């Protein structure tokens, strides 16, 4: 009975403070979703990359030089000194090259325009997050995941569900996020971030 009364009082106070003095930096947990693409550099389609470059204003002779850089590449595999036959490479950005990382960044550059919450990107690693004040925020984050699934389908990149994780910071709940890929829903691995008994951070996966 006491906790019920506390909850009623707390909700009344928060309703007032949220409209007046309570800072946005206090009071809520945060859900952070870490996304990883499967073999991202190896699966970028040439024609779509070139179309993206043309759309952002890279044209003419420079575009032709990039086209030459990407096309007619060969590869082979060496195992225990034995070499396979040379094979044509039909997709992917050359890793270890000077130009490759920049081309990939330009290819995924418009991804953030599909996101309504917060996002940070580093090469093929993407994080999206938002505070969780009510179910509406959960729905926004799930909507962003749906948008990213659509973006990935459009640009022929595939998520790696085994490496996509949602971290609940400052709260434990039954929220479940999923990615949709090839008509299937993949439920994300969950991680709860909390403080240990002596103040050390503990991250537990479920």
């Amino acid at each position: 009975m006491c906790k019920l009364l506390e909850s009623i009082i707390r909700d009344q106070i928060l309703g007032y403070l949220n409209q007046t003095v309570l800072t946005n930096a206090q009071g809520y947990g945060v859900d952070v979703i870490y996304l990883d693409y499967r073999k991202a550099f190896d699966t970028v389609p040439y024609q779509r990359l070139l179309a993206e470059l043309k759309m952002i204003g890279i044209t003419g002779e420079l575009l032709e030089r990039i086209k030459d850089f990407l096309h007619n590449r060969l590869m082979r595999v060496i195992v225990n000194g034995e070499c396979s036959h040379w094979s044509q490479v039909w997709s992917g950005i050359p890793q270890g090259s000077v130009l490759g990382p920049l081309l990939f960044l330009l290819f995924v550059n418009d991804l953030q325009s599909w996101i309504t919450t917060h996002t940070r990107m580093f090469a093929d690693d993407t994080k999206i997050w938002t505070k969780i004040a009510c179910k509406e925020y959960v729905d926004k984050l799930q909507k962003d995941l749906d948008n990213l699934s659509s973006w990935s389908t459009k640009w022929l990149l595939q998520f790696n569900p085994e490496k996509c994780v949602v971290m609940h910071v400052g709260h434990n709940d039954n929220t479940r996020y999923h990615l949709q890929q090839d008509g299937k829903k993949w439920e994300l691995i969950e991680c709860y971030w909390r403080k240990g008994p002596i103040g050390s951070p503990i991250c537990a996966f479920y």
Side-chain angles (χ1 to χ4, degrees):
M1 183 66 70
C2 179
K3 288 188 176 182
L4 178 60
L5 181 59
E6 286 183 66
S7 298
I8 294 173
I9 294 173
R10 179 203 60 192
D11 292 345
Q12 291 293 318
I13 292 175
L14 282 176
Y16 166 73
L17 293 178
N18 285 336
Q19 299 176 17
T20 55
V21 299
L22 191 63
T23 172
N24 289 332
Q26 290 283 0
Y28 300 108
V30 175
D31 280 354
V32 186
I33 298 178
Y34 296 80
L35 299 168
D36 182 81
Y37 282 100
R38 179 181 285 117
K39 298 182 179 180
F41 276 75
D42 295 331
T43 55
V44 171
Y46 292 155
Q47 295 303 322
R48 299 199 179 200
L49 171 59
L50 294 171
E52 178 71 12
L53 295 177
K54 187 175 182 179
M55 187 172 62
I56 63 176
I58 299 176
T59 59
E61 186 175 345
L62 177 57
L63 184 64
E64 289 300 315
R65 296 291 76 77
I66 295 175
K67 182 177 179 181
D68 291 341
F69 172 72
L70 294 173
H71 281 78
N72 298 319
R73 302 183 72 93
L74 301 175
M75 66 170 290
R76 65 176 179 176
V77 177
I78 302 176
V79 179
N80 295 327
E82 297 293 328
C83 300
S84 69
H85 296 292
W86 288 101
S87 298
Q88 187 82 36
V89 179
W90 297 105
S91 66
I93 295 173
Q95 298 188 51
S97 65
V98 175
L99 190 57
L102 177 59
L103 292 177
F104 183 82
L105 291 182
L106 293 175
F107 184 72
V108 300
N109 188 59
D110 74 328
L111 184 150
Q112 61 181 351
S113 66
W114 292 58
I115 304 300
T116 60
T117 55
H118 305 285
T119 182
R120 283 292 183 272
M121 299 170 62
F122 182 78
D124 58 331
D125 293 322
T126 301
K127 296 185 292 292
I128 62 174
W129 75 91
T130 187
K131 68 179 182 180
I132 302 298
C134 61
K135 187 177 182 300
E136 178 184 352
Y137 290 83
V138 175
D139 293 340
K140 285 183 178 179
L141 207 52
Q142 181 58 61
K143 179 63 175 177
D144 281 348
L145 283 176
D146 295 339
N147 289 339
L148 287 177
S149 294
S150 298
W151 183 92
S152 301
T153 299
K154 175 183 177 181
W155 294 105
L156 304 181
L157 293 180
Q158 293 289 311
F159 286 110
N160 187 351
E162 294 80 9
K163 293 184 178 180
C164 295
V165 177
V166 55
M167 178 183 289
H168 303 292
V169 181
H171 69 110
N172 294 344
D173 60 21
N174 294 321
T175 302
R176 297 290 185 271
Y177 298 100
H178 65 264
L179 284 168
Q180 186 155 326
Q181 190 170 283
D182 297 329
K184 298 179 181 178
K185 287 185 178 181
W186 303 85
E187 191 170 290
L188 299 185
I189 299 171
E190 292 189 287
C191 173
Y192 294 93
W193 184 267
R194 60 184 175 84
K195 290 283 188 176
I198 58 174
S200 60
I202 297 176
C203 187
F205 288 87
Y206 296 93

